[in-house]
Amino acid sequence: MKKALVCGAGGFIGSHLVKRLKKDGYWVRGVDLVYPEFSKSQADEFIKGDLRNISIVDICVDGVDEVYQLAADMGGADFIFTGENDSDIMHNSAMINLNIVDSMRRHNVKKVFYSSSACMYPQEHQLETDVPALTEDMAYPGNPDSEYGWEKLFSERLYLAYGKNYGFDVRIARFHNIFGPEGTYIGGREKAPAALCRKVIESKGEIMVYGDGKQTRSFLYIDECVDGVRRLMESECTEPLNIGSDEVISINDFAKMIIDISGKEVTIKNIEGPLGVRGRNSDNTLIKEKLGWCPTQKLEVGIEKTYDWINETLHTEARYIFESPDGGDTVYRRTINSLDREQIKWLQ
């Protein structure tokens, strides 16, 4: 039985990847600062620890055959594009990746998957709504539009350098806007699909959408993302690949799709806010060539599943409080599924 380490196993994609690896017959160790928010982890062993600490990384890496590195300081537009979190984003994520490659080298663990992002592509290729889809060879000269993208570009090169100098067997995927059930939908780090679903569900007749709504994106459902990761890891492809949908849509049209799914009467009000690039879409030519596969599920299928899950979760949500170290109370929103992992007091 192969042993895999999933870094970021408490996060959205990481928790789904753990489930897939278990289904594929792996023994899985997960590590994260937090447990999965909406369901119990299926990892055989879950270490709650900070990967910025090299001693924690050494414990996690020791004895595994493969490392899946998805841990990062990240979030949606409100977190990435305001500029307020840039130093944390770069420091925390870079420190994690530096610790992981160093520990892998010392423990003689060779095979690693690194989750990069479409945010690492140069912004000049993404200035219009109808820009050509992003091909992997557009990555250089590097000029991402965010510090998050710059760190992803650096870490891609970090893993490839260790592949060249220390014989690492590296796989890299550039994710394009992954969404689906069990992704965070509130709190400032939620991505556009979850945020729009929540806004429509909670709306009394109007929702706010950043920008003019004409900016374009493609979005990939979580099951296809995880399938792509596993296919990439089982392949001989050692160059970075896009893992994303090539079904491009404007944000206003995306919001209208969710409104239609809801069956509600909701209007859209476009407002100023953090936007990122003007247009972004995945070119899947290379992944078809290298893996004989690419994502095919229609966006509406995945977003309907996601809307239904968020709708159900919101309607079973409980509010509770932690006792903070200073004796005060901090209010959080969590689902009922999370309540067994904390000492709680119910709000009356």
Side-chain angles (χ1 to χ4, degrees), residues 128-256:
E128 303 295 335
T129 59
D130 60 348
V131 292
L134 295 167
T135 58
E136 287 82 354
D137 60 4
M138 289 180 175
Y140 296 96
N143 188 28
D145 74 325
S146 66
E147 303 308 330
Y148 175 79
W150 277 110
E151 191 283 322
K152 287 295 186 183
L153 182 60
F154 162 77
S155 291
E156 281 192 15
R157 297 189 68 89
L158 174 68
Y159 283 96
L160 292 172
Y162 271 73
K164 178 174 62 178
N165 295 150
Y166 294 104
F168 281 18
D169 191 11
V170 179
R171 304 290 184 273
I172 296 172
R174 295 168 180 165
F175 290 159
H176 288 248
N177 299 311
I178 314 304
F179 75 97
E182 300 190 11
T184 189
Y185 53 83
I186 198 166
R189 296 202 185 205
E190 65 273 22
K191 300 295 186 68
L196 289 172
C197 285
R198 188 201 74 243
K199 288 179 180 182
V200 171
I201 292 165
E202 295 181 335
S203 172
K204 303 300 183 183
E206 183 180 73
I207 62 170
M208 308 297 182
V209 173
Y210 289 156
D212 61 9
K214 296 178 182 178
Q215 63 270 32
T216 55
R217 294 292 187 276
S218 63
F219 301 93
L220 182 66
Y221 190 65
I222 182 62
D223 290 355
E224 291 201 293
C225 171
V226 171
D227 194 23
V229 170
R230 289 292 298 128
R231 288 172 182 267
L232 177 57
M233 278 294 271
E234 294 299 314
S235 77
E236 299 300 318
C237 180
T238 58
E239 57 193 289
L241 290 181
N242 289 330
I243 293 186
S245 170
D246 58 6
E247 181 184 353
V248 68
I249 190 170
S250 74
I251 297 301
N252 270 0
D253 284 343
F254 189 32
K256 291 172 185 175

Side-chain angles (χ1 to χ4, degrees), residues 321-330 345:
I321 57 176
F322 298 100
E323 290 188 2
S324 63
D326 61 3
D329 289 327
T330 304
K345 296 190 304 182

